[in-house]
Amino acid sequence: MRVPDLPWPLPHRSDLRDELVAAYGTGRGYHDLRHLTEVLERLDELGWGHDVEVVLAAWFHDAVYDGGADLEERSALLARARLTGEDVDVDEVVRLVRLTADHRPAADDRRGQALVDADLAILAAAPSRYDEYRRAVRTEYAHVPDPDFRTGRRTVLQDLAGRERLFHTALGHDRWDTAARENLAREIAELSD
């Protein structure tokens, strides 16, 4: 498999990079290499693309995505197992991966804010890309009956839309909040029909 040209902060661990690329390339609907690429691009846009721990957390945040429970926790544990012994703050990478479960970093957690904003930036995509994202998420939950999916998805989106601040970084808030809220409102309305 051709390895995409994505920023990887551990040049001596191309084996680990290839393992993660393979994990993201296993026929997922949304949480795939395109998602990883977009998260890394948004981190760079936010000015965090050279922070080793944040970039590694981005790589690991959806490393485990098999439809089971506790995906973020299992991704965090995978990060701990694969990064132990490396010259990085493994505890910090694990902590950051765990934040992607609820996307609620503390007010003073600049690294966490950057990672969760990059992860949620898809919500602010142009309507055509947002619709691709919606279809891809539905593909990942194809095993869930439509009425249950619609109810669950609407609940998740209403939680996001109801937050006072959807994006935590100043740049993310300024660039993405309005478009994200428009996309969320549109999808919530469609799920409520």
Side-chain angles (χ1 to χ4, degrees), residues 14 27 49 60 64 70 88 90-91 105 114 117 142-143 146 159 170 189:
S14 60
F60 276 97
V64 176
D70 300 324
V88 298
V90 177
D91 289 338
D117 279 10
H143 61 284
D146 198 52
D159 173 66

Side-chain angles (χ1 to χ4, degrees), residues 104-115:
R104 292 184 186 274
D108 61 349
D109 182 2
R110 295 184 62 227
R111 282 175 153 173
Q113 291 173 358
L115 179 62

